[in-house]
Amino acid sequence: MRLRQVRDQLYSWIRQHYIMLGLFLIGLCGGLFTAGIGLLLGILLEPLVQQFLYEKAVTRYLIMADPHFTAEIRPGITAFCGLAVYCAFSEQKGDPEIIQKDIVQHALDLFYFSPSDGPQVELLCRLALEHQQQLNGDLLAESLLARLKDIAAATKTAQVLKELVIRYAPKELWRLESLLQILAPGMERGNENAPWQILGVSPEASVQEIKKTFRRLALQFHPDSLASLNEAQRKKAEESFIRIRQAYREVLSQRLGDES
């Protein structure tokens, strides 16, 4: 009996307030719908926001080598990509895609990354290229050195950078030399492999490979090729070629001596 009275009172209340109740249910459904849309947008946008923040952190690190932004990124390989772009793209010659692929492959090898990390390293190169004019070579070299295991790793990394510059921007060797004083200051002093490193060839290279490399460098350091440089840059480029020519003579003499 009591239950029936409660039910009748409830029905009576609903009949009296059905408009208010209807509006409440509509609002509740609308709120749930809005919450659902918000949740869906959050799920869809979260990766994009994370990617944006990651790229922002990488860019800040490339420009400032800011240690506060190293938690989200891999600073060693990021600094290497920044330095490689800073040097190898300085002449703005050659196919950018080929240069970038070469940098990516060297980065993967140096830092023992798997090929599946290639897209991430390509992103580092792309961001470095987009902000090329803002890159600070000295800061990147210091940051890279701080994250290499030992002198051997620093020397190997410096040699790779030098090979990239000789291959794609040989007139900018002067730009790299100051960075090598930070990254591997002893690379060319007291090192029997120094002439090979200066020339940018392997100690196992054949006479034909050595001559081919030198001819290519000689063409790139020809006065006509240096005409676009200012006086200071031209002087440094000429000094670099003097060292290359001396290294060529030493390397060729050593190789011919080994074969005789």
Side-chain angles (χ1 to χ4, degrees):
M1 184 70 178
R2 184 175 180 81
L3 182 60
R4 180 178 296 177
Q5 289 177 346
V6 172
R7 186 185 62 187
D8 292 342
Q9 289 176 357
L10 178 61
Y11 286 162
S12 176
W13 185 88
I14 291 175
R15 284 195 298 270
Q16 292 175 6
H17 303 284
Y18 70 91
I19 296 178
M20 181 184 69
L21 183 60
L23 292 175
F24 169 76
L25 292 175
I26 291 173
L28 179 62
C29 292
L32 291 174
F33 177 77
T34 303
I37 292 296
L39 179 61
L40 180 61
L41 287 175
I43 294 173
L44 294 176
L45 292 178
E46 183 181 15
L48 298 178
V49 173
Q50 289 179 342
Q51 182 69 13
F52 170 78
L53 294 176
Y54 172 76
E55 292 187 12
K56 184 177 180 181
V58 170
T59 300
R60 186 178 179 90
Y61 181 78
L62 285 168
I63 296 173
M64 302 176 60
D66 192 332
H68 299 295
F69 283 78
T70 59
E72 304 93 343
I73 64 176
R74 294 164 168 171
I77 196 169
T78 302
F80 172 81
C81 291
L83 273 178
V85 168
Y86 176 77
C87 297
F89 279 90
S90 54
E91 289 184 19
Q92 297 182 343
K93 291 183 178 180
D95 187 336
E97 186 175 345
I98 293 177
I99 300 175
Q100 181 172 312
K101 286 182 178 179
D102 204 2
I103 292 174
V104 169
Q105 188 56 55
H106 279 300
L108 293 174
D109 293 341
L110 280 173
F111 292 88
Y112 304 103
F113 280 29
S114 67
S116 61
D117 292 309
Q120 183 182 6
V121 182
E122 289 176 3
L123 173 63
L124 298 179
C125 290
R126 178 177 63 79
L127 292 173
L129 190 56
E130 288 177 0
H131 300 85
Q132 182 183 1
Q133 301 302 320
Q134 299 171 273
L135 298 179
N136 187 313
D138 291 345
L139 286 178
L140 288 171
E142 291 172 358
S143 178
L144 178 57
L145 179 62
R147 287 161 177 84
L148 294 174
K149 295 180 180 179
D150 48 37
I151 296 176
T155 301
K156 182 179 180 181
T157 304
Q159 178 60 22
V160 169
L161 286 169
K162 192 160 192 175
E163 290 174 1
L164 287 169
V165 173
I166 289 175
R167 188 175 305 152
Y168 299 115
K171 290 187 293 185
E172 300 296 331
L173 277 173
W174 63 270
R175 180 195 295 262
L176 180 63
E177 286 176 357
S178 63
L179 301 179
L180 294 183
Q181 295 303 313
I182 298 173
L183 190 59
M187 188 175 78
E188 295 180 4
R189 293 198 296 270
N191 185 347
E192 62 180 7
N193 289 328
W196 301 89
Q197 294 174 344
I198 293 173
L199 194 59
V201 295
S202 166
E204 289 76 32
S206 65
V207 173
Q208 290 76 14
E209 290 172 330
I210 294 169
K211 290 182 176 180
K212 182 179 179 181
T213 298
F214 179 73
R215 283 196 296 268
R216 175 168 55 82
L217 291 172
L219 288 174
Q220 292 169 335
F221 278 91
H222 189 275
D224 291 342
S225 300
L226 304 178
S228 60
L229 302 180
N230 61 41
E231 185 176 351
Q233 292 174 336
R234 192 181 305 114
K235 183 177 180 180
K236 290 184 178 180
E238 290 170 352
E239 291 173 354
S240 295
F241 185 63
I242 290 174
R243 286 191 289 273
I244 289 173
R245 185 168 54 193
Q246 179 62 32
Y248 168 69
R249 291 171 179 168
E250 294 180 23
V251 165
L252 193 61
S253 175
Q254 182 177 336
R255 172 58 72 236
L256 292 175
D258 292 341
E259 294 181 356
S260 61

